[in-house]
mmCIF file of all heavy atoms in Angstrom:
data_model
loop_
_atom_site.group_PDB
_atom_site.id
_atom_site.type_symbol
_atom_site.label_atom_id
_atom_site.label_comp_id
_atom_site.label_asym_id
_atom_site.label_seq_id
_atom_site.Cartn_x
_atom_site.Cartn_y
_atom_site.Cartn_z
ATOM 1 N N ALA A 224 120.926 213.094 37.402
ATOM 2 C CA ALA A 224 122.009 213.689 36.609
ATOM 3 C C ALA A 224 121.953 213.187 35.170
ATOM 4 O O ALA A 224 122.198 213.955 34.228
ATOM 5 C CB ALA A 224 123.360 213.366 37.237
ATOM 6 N N PHE A 225 121.615 211.908 34.985
ATOM 7 C CA PHE A 225 121.490 211.398 33.624
ATOM 8 C C PHE A 225 120.302 212.036 32.913
ATOM 9 O O PHE A 225 120.361 212.306 31.709
ATOM 10 C CB PHE A 225 121.375 209.874 33.639
ATOM 11 C CG PHE A 225 122.690 209.181 33.805
ATOM 12 C CD1 PHE A 225 123.067 208.646 35.019
ATOM 13 C CD2 PHE A 225 123.575 209.081 32.737
ATOM 14 C CE1 PHE A 225 124.293 208.022 35.188
ATOM 15 C CE2 PHE A 225 124.806 208.451 32.884
ATOM 16 C CZ PHE A 225 125.171 207.929 34.120
ATOM 17 N N VAL A 226 119.232 212.293 33.656
ATOM 18 C CA VAL A 226 118.103 213.023 33.078
ATOM 19 C C VAL A 226 118.566 214.404 32.632
ATOM 20 O O VAL A 226 118.245 214.878 31.530
ATOM 21 C CB VAL A 226 116.951 213.142 34.096
ATOM 22 C CG1 VAL A 226 115.868 214.082 33.572
ATOM 23 C CG2 VAL A 226 116.362 211.775 34.402
ATOM 24 N N ILE A 227 119.338 215.078 33.476
ATOM 25 C CA ILE A 227 119.800 216.432 33.189
ATOM 26 C C ILE A 227 120.662 216.470 31.935
ATOM 27 O O ILE A 227 120.478 217.328 31.060
ATOM 28 C CB ILE A 227 120.579 216.994 34.397
ATOM 29 C CG1 ILE A 227 119.620 217.264 35.556
ATOM 30 C CG2 ILE A 227 121.326 218.281 34.025
ATOM 31 C CD1 ILE A 227 120.311 217.509 36.880
ATOM 32 N N ILE A 228 121.627 215.550 31.834
ATOM 33 C CA ILE A 228 122.523 215.625 30.681
ATOM 34 C C ILE A 228 121.831 215.187 29.390
ATOM 35 O O ILE A 228 122.214 215.619 28.307
ATOM 36 C CB ILE A 228 123.818 214.814 30.912
ATOM 37 C CG1 ILE A 228 123.544 213.318 31.049
ATOM 38 C CG2 ILE A 228 124.558 215.324 32.134
ATOM 39 C CD1 ILE A 228 124.818 212.482 31.117
ATOM 40 N N ILE A 229 120.792 214.368 29.496
ATOM 41 C CA ILE A 229 120.020 214.011 28.304
ATOM 42 C C ILE A 229 119.147 215.185 27.883
ATOM 43 O O ILE A 229 119.070 215.526 26.702
ATOM 44 C CB ILE A 229 119.158 212.759 28.565
ATOM 45 C CG1 ILE A 229 120.054 211.530 28.712
ATOM 46 C CG2 ILE A 229 118.161 212.540 27.425
ATOM 47 C CD1 ILE A 229 119.327 210.282 29.170
ATOM 48 N N VAL A 230 118.515 215.838 28.857
ATOM 49 C CA VAL A 230 117.693 217.014 28.558
ATOM 50 C C VAL A 230 118.557 218.138 28.005
ATOM 51 O O VAL A 230 118.182 218.821 27.045
ATOM 52 C CB VAL A 230 116.938 217.481 29.825
ATOM 53 C CG1 VAL A 230 116.307 218.852 29.597
ATOM 54 C CG2 VAL A 230 115.862 216.470 30.199
ATOM 55 N N GLY A 231 119.729 218.353 28.605
ATOM 56 C CA GLY A 231 120.597 219.435 28.153
ATOM 57 C C GLY A 231 121.331 219.120 26.865
ATOM 58 O O GLY A 231 121.761 220.036 26.157
ATOM 59 N N GLY A 232 121.499 217.853 26.559
ATOM 60 C CA GLY A 232 122.278 217.453 25.385
ATOM 61 C C GLY A 232 123.571 216.797 25.839
ATOM 62 O O GLY A 232 124.349 217.411 26.565
ATOM 63 N N LEU A 233 123.802 215.566 25.443
ATOM 64 C CA LEU A 233 124.974 214.819 25.903
ATOM 65 C C LEU A 233 126.259 215.568 25.580
ATOM 66 O O LEU A 233 126.504 215.952 24.441
ATOM 67 C CB LEU A 233 124.993 213.434 25.261
ATOM 68 C CG LEU A 233 123.911 212.456 25.746
ATOM 69 C CD1 LEU A 233 123.941 211.184 24.911
ATOM 70 C CD2 LEU A 233 124.113 212.129 27.209
ATOM 71 N N GLY A 234 127.079 215.782 26.611
ATOM 72 C CA GLY A 234 128.355 216.452 26.423
ATOM 73 C C GLY A 234 128.301 217.958 26.443
ATOM 74 O O GLY A 234 129.331 218.611 26.309
ATOM 75 N N SER A 235 127.129 218.551 26.623
ATOM 76 C CA SER A 235 126.986 220.008 26.602
ATOM 77 C C SER A 235 127.077 220.571 28.015
ATOM 78 O O SER A 235 126.259 220.246 28.877
ATOM 79 C CB SER A 235 125.640 220.404 25.975
ATOM 80 O OG SER A 235 125.397 221.794 26.160
ATOM 81 N N ILE A 236 128.074 221.433 28.258
ATOM 82 C CA ILE A 236 128.219 222.061 29.569
ATOM 83 C C ILE A 236 127.076 223.041 29.834
ATOM 84 O O ILE A 236 126.458 222.997 30.909
ATOM 85 C CB ILE A 236 129.603 222.728 29.695
ATOM 86 C CG1 ILE A 236 130.682 221.647 29.783
ATOM 87 C CG2 ILE A 236 129.666 223.642 30.910
ATOM 88 C CD1 ILE A 236 132.101 222.180 29.852
ATOM 89 N N PRO A 237 126.739 223.957 28.897
ATOM 90 C CA PRO A 237 125.575 224.830 29.143
ATOM 91 C C PRO A 237 124.292 224.031 29.345
ATOM 92 O O PRO A 237 123.443 224.406 30.156
ATOM 93 C CB PRO A 237 125.502 225.689 27.878
ATOM 94 C CG PRO A 237 126.875 225.651 27.300
ATOM 95 C CD PRO A 237 127.407 224.293 27.627
ATOM 96 N N GLY A 238 124.158 222.929 28.615
ATOM 97 C CA GLY A 238 122.967 222.097 28.766
ATOM 98 C C GLY A 238 122.866 221.492 30.146
ATOM 99 O O GLY A 238 121.768 221.402 30.718
ATOM 100 N N ALA A 239 124.003 221.076 30.719
ATOM 101 C CA ALA A 239 123.995 220.507 32.072
ATOM 102 C C ALA A 239 123.591 221.544 33.098
ATOM 103 O O ALA A 239 122.836 221.258 34.034
ATOM 104 C CB ALA A 239 125.380 219.944 32.405
ATOM 105 N N VAL A 240 124.072 222.779 32.931
ATOM 106 C CA VAL A 240 123.734 223.849 33.881
ATOM 107 C C VAL A 240 122.253 224.201 33.791
ATOM 108 O O VAL A 240 121.542 224.241 34.805
ATOM 109 C CB VAL A 240 124.603 225.097 33.615
ATOM 110 C CG1 VAL A 240 124.162 226.252 34.506
ATOM 111 C CG2 VAL A 240 126.073 224.782 33.858
#
Side-chain angles (χ1 to χ4, degrees):
F225 280 102
V226 171
I227 290 167
I228 65 173
I229 291 172
V230 169
L233 290 173
S235 170
I236 290 178
V240 174

